[in-house]
Amino acid sequence: MYKKKNISPKSKSIVSRVLVCLFAVCTLASCGKKQTYTIEGTLYGGKNFEDQIIYLVPFSGATSENIDSAVIHDSRFRFSGEAETDEVYILRMRPMMRLFIDELIIIREPGRIKTRLSQVSSAKGTPQNDSLQHWREFKMHIDSALTDVRKKMKRAQPEEYKDLRLQQDSIRAVFDRHNKQSITLNNNAFGDFLSKYAK
């Protein structure tokens, strides 16, 4: 018959100390692992933007200390660094270049963010930027629909105007519902940005 061995107090003490050390090492390792981000970008326009500067600017509270910059080479640029918190930023060029390149709002969050800057810029690659891009595309669809209705309203007869006004209100209501749903589902920097924007 198997006889259970008693563990001596000394052995228990050694095991306890080993477990405490292992826990401390694991904790330090997790604390030491820094969250980093990479923003990779391409520009539509080829050599027209060679050696131009692109800026990574906080959406709010921008100062000379927290604005980053990169030089465009071969229609590409890159930013990288630590992402202690998820924050909303803008990829922006100098004013004259904005006639050709649409500045782009992104979420600076851990991971690899791929951007394409053109007259209609886009970003993808991380959860919040994917959500922001989906919202951006939906907004473009809404804006296009509202523009079509406004054009019709300008040349509408009085009897048509009322129906077009109702159509306009309906489109705006769809966008409002979409915003509220997106805010509810995103308790993060994207949701906060959208909440302020929607207001």
Side-chain angles (χ1 to χ4, degrees):
M1 185 175 178
Y2 176 76
K3 187 175 181 181
K4 186 178 178 181
K5 293 182 180 179
N6 292 325
I7 300 173
S8 69
K10 186 177 180 181
S11 297
K12 285 182 180 179
S13 176
I14 292 170
V15 170
S16 296
R17 276 183 285 194
V18 169
L19 289 174
V20 168
C21 287
L22 284 172
F23 177 76
V25 168
C26 290
T27 302
L28 287 172
S30 63
C31 290
K33 188 177 180 182
K34 295 178 180 178
Q35 298 283 352
T36 61
Y37 71 90
T38 301
I39 301 168
E40 297 175 349
T42 58
L43 281 92
Y44 174 81
K47 293 182 179 180
N48 294 329
F49 304 106
E50 186 70 11
D51 295 328
Q52 292 286 336
I53 305 294
I54 188 162
Y55 300 93
L56 182 62
V57 183
F59 186 77
S60 60
T63 66
S64 57
E65 286 78 26
N66 60 16
I67 295 175
D68 199 357
S69 63
V71 178
I72 298 164
H73 180 62
D74 289 337
S75 300
R76 296 180 179 277
F77 64 88
R78 188 175 185 273
F79 292 95
S80 62
E82 293 180 22
E84 295 178 3
T85 57
D86 302 341
E87 295 180 71
V88 182
Y89 275 73
I90 305 172
L91 285 172
R92 173 177 285 166
M93 299 183 73
R94 63 189 178 90
M96 281 299 294
M97 296 297 101
R98 294 178 211 167
L99 296 172
F100 313 101
I101 296 294
D102 178 34
E103 62 184 23
L104 180 65
I105 295 171
I106 61 168
I107 310 294
R108 197 193 68 176
E109 63 179 326
R112 185 182 177 194
I113 305 160
K114 296 180 181 179
T115 66
R116 184 177 187 275
L117 302 189
S118 64
Q119 289 184 331
V120 181
S121 298
S122 61
K124 63 179 181 178
T126 59
Q128 291 188 71
N129 282 292
D130 288 346
S131 296
L132 181 55
Q133 182 60 30
H134 173 75
W135 176 83
R136 187 182 289 115
E137 290 169 1
F138 185 80
K139 183 180 182 301
M140 287 174 61
H141 174 72
I142 290 292
D143 289 345
S144 178
L146 287 173
T147 298
D148 287 344
V149 172
R150 289 191 195 105
K151 286 179 180 177
K152 292 176 182 177
M153 289 172 77
K154 285 181 180 179
R155 57 179 184 267
Q157 298 299 319
E159 62 273 12
E160 299 173 319
Y161 191 87
K162 185 178 179 181
D163 288 340
L164 288 168
R165 186 64 183 266
L166 289 172
Q167 189 177 343
Q168 184 183 54
D169 292 343
S170 177
I171 294 168
R172 286 174 173 163
V174 168
F175 186 52
D176 186 53
R177 284 195 299 272
H178 183 79
N179 282 342
K180 288 178 180 177
Q181 184 180 25
S182 297
I183 291 166
T184 301
L185 294 174
N186 291 277
N187 184 25
N188 50 30
F190 166 59
D192 291 343
F193 164 75
L194 198 55
S195 179
K196 293 171 185 175
Y197 176 88
K199 288 179 181 177

